[in-house]
């Protein structure tokens, strides 16, 4: 009986020791998983952002909940995407704050990978970031932080990543009105075709009124160096329309392209233009398109 009691006491003691070890380990893991906020960004409601990466320096400003490109207010910026990017910057967290940091050069902060200057109109915070293997060092004003978390992906983007563009309109036989290609202009025309006599007699058997049947026919008027001629809707035109319907914008390749040399850099031939009811003008060559209204050269796929 004494032996059995002794064994129970040993088992209980072992359980207590193991339990204590588990609690200590769990507490250690919880402590390791805790993050600290970047204090300088906590209460900042950013309305002005300038950031620098390997592509250059970009300055974005916010007015009445709308973001714009400071160097060109006419540039169409996707405000929702920029706001999400700014929110991610404001929510950056660190594993720890360095109480007595060494020189910036010891953390790579003398030549940072990213520089951000954020302002809410009343205060400005400058944040630099240096990625060192698995650790990223951040300096917010004079405070230095270390984090293993990923930085916002938007920091690697340039202006092209923030441009908002509309999808290429769905061109149909009814909406496509004119095509200009080099010295050739193709214009859609509608003609009313009267039914033949046999067709009219057949229709009278079903219709008591003596009316002439008319059908609207789509034709294309072609004007080039040889003159002007009219053709009916045919398979080559159907093939072209099907190709246009399948165009879609993948991404913005460049902004503010106005000179021929830069257009040709992207394989854009300034000769070909497609008109859709006067609302859109698209320069099309291979898989590139150029929307003239917004001066954006976009990479489009089929």
């Amino acid at each position: 009986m004494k032996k059995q009691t002794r064994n129970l006491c040993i088992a209980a003691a072992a359980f207590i020791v193991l339990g204590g070890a588990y609690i200590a380990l769990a507490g250690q893991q919880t402590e390791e998983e805790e993050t600290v906020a970047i204090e300088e960004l906590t209460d900042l409601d950013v309305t002005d952002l300038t950031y620098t990466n390997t592509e250059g320096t970009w300055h974005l400003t916010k007015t009445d909940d709308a973001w714009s490109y400071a160097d060109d207010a006419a540039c169409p910026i996707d405000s929702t995407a920029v706001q999400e990017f700014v929110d991610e910057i404001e929510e950056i967290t660190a594993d720890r704050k360095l109480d007595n940091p060494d020189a910036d050069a010891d953390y790579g902060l003398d030549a940072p990978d990213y520089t951000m200057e954020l302002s809410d109109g009343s205060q400005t915070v400058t944040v630099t970031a240096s990625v060192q293997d698995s650790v990223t060092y951040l300096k917010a004003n004079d405070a230095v932080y270390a984090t293993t978390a990923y930085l916002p992906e938007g920091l690697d983007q340039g202006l092209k990543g923030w441009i908002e563009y509309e999808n290429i309109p769905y061109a149909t036989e009814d909406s496509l009105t004119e095509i200009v290609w080099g010295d050739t202009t193709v214009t859609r025309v509608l003609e009313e075709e009267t039914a033949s006599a046999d067709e009219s007699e057949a229709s009278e058997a079903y219709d008591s009124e003596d009316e002439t049947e008319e059908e609207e026919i789509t034709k294309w008027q072609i004007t080039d160096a040889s003159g002007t001629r009219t053709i009916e809707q045919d398979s080559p035109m159907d093939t072209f329309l099907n190709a246009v319907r399948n165009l879609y914008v993948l991404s913005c390749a460049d902004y503010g392209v106005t000179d021929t040399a830069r257009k040709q850099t992207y394989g854009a031939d300034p000769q070909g233009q497609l008109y859709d009811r006067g609302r859109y003008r698209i320069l099309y060559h291979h898989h590139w398109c150029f929307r003239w209204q917004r001066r954006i050269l976009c990479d489009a796929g089929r």
Side-chain angles (χ1 to χ4, degrees), residues 30-252:
T30 300
E31 183 177 351
E32 292 176 352
E33 291 174 359
E34 288 182 355
T35 58
V36 296
I38 307 298
E39 299 172 3
E40 291 74 11
L41 300 177
T42 302
D43 299 322
L44 203 64
D45 185 11
V46 179
T47 57
D48 190 286
L49 167 66
T50 300
Y51 71 100
T52 301
N53 56 23
T54 55
E55 289 193 29
T57 298
W58 319 104
H59 185 190
L60 302 166
T61 60
K62 182 181 180 181
T63 304
D64 297 331
D65 296 328
W67 285 93
S68 61
Y69 180 43
D71 293 348
D72 185 358
C75 181
I77 295 297
D78 186 342
S79 290
T80 300
V82 173
Q83 186 60 56
E84 290 176 354
F85 171 49
V86 171
D87 291 342
E88 290 177 352
I89 294 177
E90 293 175 343
E91 294 170 1
I92 292 176
T93 59
D95 295 340
R96 67 185 189 280
K97 179 179 180 180
L98 307 185
D99 295 330
N100 298 298
D102 297 326
D104 287 352
D106 294 333
Y107 309 108
L109 292 170
D110 57 329
D113 297 297
Y114 308 100
T115 299
M116 296 159 272
E117 188 174 281
L118 308 99
S119 174
D120 60 4
S122 60
Q123 59 177 324
T124 299
V125 177
T126 299
V127 179
T128 54
S130 177
V131 181
Q132 304 288 319
D133 296 327
S134 60
V135 178
T136 297
Y137 292 99
L138 300 165
K139 185 175 183 180
N141 290 344
D142 295 324
V144 178
Y145 300 83
T147 182
T148 54
Y150 291 107
L151 296 177
E153 294 182 0
L155 285 172
D156 291 314
Q157 295 189 158
L159 178 64
K160 295 179 294 185
W162 307 119
I163 288 180
E164 181 178 35
Y165 47 84
E166 300 175 12
N167 288 325
I168 296 175
Y170 183 77
T172 65
E173 180 180 308
D174 294 331
S175 66
L176 195 61
T177 59
E178 186 178 50
I179 304 164
V180 179
W181 197 261
D183 296 328
T184 302
T185 299
V186 181
T187 306
R188 180 171 65 90
V189 294
L190 297 176
E191 294 185 1
E192 292 184 347
E193 186 174 276
T194 303
S196 64
D198 293 339
E199 292 174 340
S200 297
E201 291 175 0
S203 65
E204 287 176 0
Y206 300 95
D207 193 345
S208 59
E209 298 182 2
D210 185 12
E211 294 181 352
T212 302
E213 295 291 331
E214 293 183 346
E215 181 182 359
E216 202 172 56
I217 303 298
T218 298
K219 295 186 178 182
W220 297 89
Q221 181 176 286
I222 302 175
T223 301
D224 54 21
S226 62
T228 300
R229 60 193 181 279
T230 301
I231 63 171
E232 294 187 0
Q233 183 81 27
D234 55 12
S235 56
M237 185 59 67
D238 288 335
T239 300
F240 173 76
L241 289 174
N242 288 333
V244 172
R245 292 188 188 103
N246 291 327
L247 286 174
Y248 60 92
V249 176
L250 293 177
S251 62
C252 183

